[in-house]
Amino acid sequence: MSTLRSWSSDAALAVAITLVGLVGTTIANRWSETALRPLDALGLALVAAAGLSLVLRRWQPEITAGAVALLTSAYLVLGYTYGPILLSLLVAVYSLARHRPLATSVPVALGVLAVLLVHVFTTSSGLPGLLGVIPGSAWVAVPFAVGSVVRVQREAVARDRAEQLRQRLDDERLRIAQEVHDVVGHGLAAIKMQADVALHVLAKKPEQAEVALEAISRTSSDALDELRATLAVVRRSSAQAPGLARLDDLLQRMREAGVSVELSTVGEARQLPPVVDLTSYRILQESLTNVLRHSGDKRAEVTVEYAADAVVLTVANPLSGSTGGGGGLGLPGMRQRVASLGGEFEAGPTADRRFTVHARLPTGGTP
């Protein structure tokens, strides 16, 4: 469709310039006092051929520029008056510089200039000799410069668009990686802990092992459901991404995995923007998963505060074992999530020997 539109626009331009050339040349011939030859059918044919050649200006600019240069030079060498045929030359040279790189366009433009300047040294209708080179060269140099500038600007815009697209794709890949990391990492950490418990008590207390295995089954099922929901959101389907409304389910899974969790809610719970809701859930999920993985004393206190213009999340646990989130996407991923929303994020040990994750996510002043 775009190709047909381009052909149509070029054909319309060629016809328009041809008509302007024929009418303008006829008028110019009546008022010209320097023409060496009166306008005749051959002159009009040269004008028409030069204008119609522009139909190929976008697809074959080298051929178009060469053909128009030969027709224009022949027109001037034969002694016809200066006129609108030079408009065809301007468009042809501009198109050459606009649609071809300098390595191709410069040699062709120099050839066009050489062909055009033939009339300066063979006729007496214009400035004699070298004095005619400067104005004659301008018919090539000016449109070539304009076309080159336009081409460079368009290429810069295209590069910027390509870079923006690449950045969006990279951001999307990172977002998907973070989502999958949070879902799978949390589920596997809980399953591993429950499996260790089952193995430990299997011989002596098989009934407790059965409880642990049932918890593994529920945790794996929940993790699969959440992963499917996450992938469905990535595919832009109607599935709903997890949010703080599913916080109780998350805390229940953590308790079944062996983490004692206390939840405190400050302020009245309200509907959050979807991206803030999902980010809040992921931060709490990753923080509690880190407690499960790295804390020797598996206790955590979770606080969710609904402020006037933000939701504030705090997860604190006694400082024991490793204090980090591993070398993966844990803490860096949470920090990046919060930063992308213009929020504040802090994580680290405190003076009372606790490891605290604190995040403040703006909600846009939602009351």
Side-chain angles (χ1 to χ4, degrees):
M1 188 66 181
S2 60
T3 301
L4 179 61
R5 190 181 300 112
S6 298
W7 274 107
S8 300
S9 62
D10 287 345
L13 176 65
V15 171
I17 290 180
T18 299
L19 294 176
V20 170
L22 293 174
V23 174
T25 300
T26 301
I27 296 174
N29 180 70
R30 293 180 180 178
W31 296 93
S32 175
E33 298 179 355
T34 59
L36 301 179
R37 179 173 176 169
L39 184 65
D40 53 19
L42 177 59
L44 291 175
L46 291 172
V47 173
L52 294 176
S53 297
L54 296 177
V55 73
L56 297 174
R57 71 182 188 91
R58 198 190 308 260
W59 315 105
Q60 296 291 340
E62 304 95 330
I63 296 176
T64 300
V68 174
L70 289 172
L71 293 168
T72 303
S73 182
Y75 176 92
L76 296 175
V77 168
L78 290 174
Y80 296 112
T81 184
Y82 280 86
I85 192 173
L86 292 170
L87 178 60
S88 299
L89 182 68
L90 289 175
V91 175
V93 174
Y94 165 83
S95 301
L96 172 67
R98 166 66 182 85
H99 296 290
R100 290 294 183 267
L102 292 178
T104 301
S105 60
V106 169
V108 177
L110 292 176
V112 168
L113 179 61
V115 171
L116 179 66
L117 293 180
V118 169
H119 79 281
V120 174
F121 300 98
T122 58
T123 65
S124 59
S125 59
L127 294 175
L130 294 177
L131 292 178
V133 171
I134 296 177
S137 300
W139 290 103
V140 176
V142 172
F144 186 87
V146 173
S148 297
V149 170
V150 172
R151 178 179 54 81
V152 170
Q153 290 178 340
R154 296 288 177 84
E155 289 177 351
V157 170
R159 285 195 300 270
D160 289 343
R161 288 177 179 173
E163 177 61 23
Q164 291 174 5
L165 176 59
R166 186 195 65 79
Q167 185 62 47
R168 286 198 297 270
L169 291 175
D170 289 345
D171 292 344
E172 183 69 6
R173 282 194 290 265
L174 179 59
R175 185 181 71 84
I176 294 173
Q178 289 174 337
E179 292 292 322
V180 174
H181 167 270
D182 290 346
V183 174
V184 176
H186 165 75
L188 291 180
I191 289 172
K192 180 182 183 303
M193 183 62 64
Q194 292 157 353
D196 289 343
V197 171
L199 289 173
H200 182 70
V201 302
L202 180 60
K204 298 180 180 180
K205 297 180 180 180
E207 67 280 359
Q208 293 186 8
E210 182 179 356
V211 172
L213 291 174
E214 290 176 350
I216 289 175
S217 178
R218 288 193 300 272
T219 300
S220 59
S221 179
D222 292 343
L224 284 173
D225 290 341
E226 192 170 331
L227 181 59
R228 291 191 187 101
T230 298
L231 295 178
V233 171
V234 171
R235 291 193 296 266
R236 301 294 190 268
S237 74
S238 58
Q240 184 177 5
L244 292 182
R246 297 176 57 179
L247 181 56
D248 288 340
D249 295 336
L250 172 63
L251 299 184
Q252 181 61 31
R253 291 199 301 271
M254 298 307 300
R255 292 181 180 117
E256 291 178 351
V259 178
S260 175
V261 185
E262 294 183 8
L263 173 64
S264 299
T265 302
V266 180
E268 184 177 356
R270 64 174 185 270
Q271 187 71 30
L272 300 174
V275 65
V276 176
D277 201 19
L278 173 61
T279 302
S280 300
Y281 181 87
R282 293 303 187 208
I283 289 174
L284 295 178
Q285 182 185 55
E286 179 63 22
S287 299
L288 291 173
T289 301
N290 285 341
V291 174
L292 176 62
R293 285 174 171 171
H294 306 293
S295 176
D297 187 354
K298 300 192 183 306
R299 291 185 293 113
E301 298 177 1
V302 176
T303 303
V304 179
E305 178 184 353
Y306 292 91
D309 59 348
V311 58
V312 183
L313 310 171
T314 304
V315 179
N317 64 280
L319 189 58
S320 62
S322 173
T323 60
L329 297 174
L331 293 179
M334 287 190 281
R335 182 174 287 106
Q336 187 169 18
R337 283 178 183 272
V338 175
S340 68
L341 299 178
E344 303 171 2
F345 180 83
E346 295 180 359
T350 58
D352 57 352
R353 292 195 55 76
R354 296 159 65 85
F355 190 88
T356 302
V357 174
H358 180 83
R360 180 184 180 87
L361 303 175
T363 58
T366 304

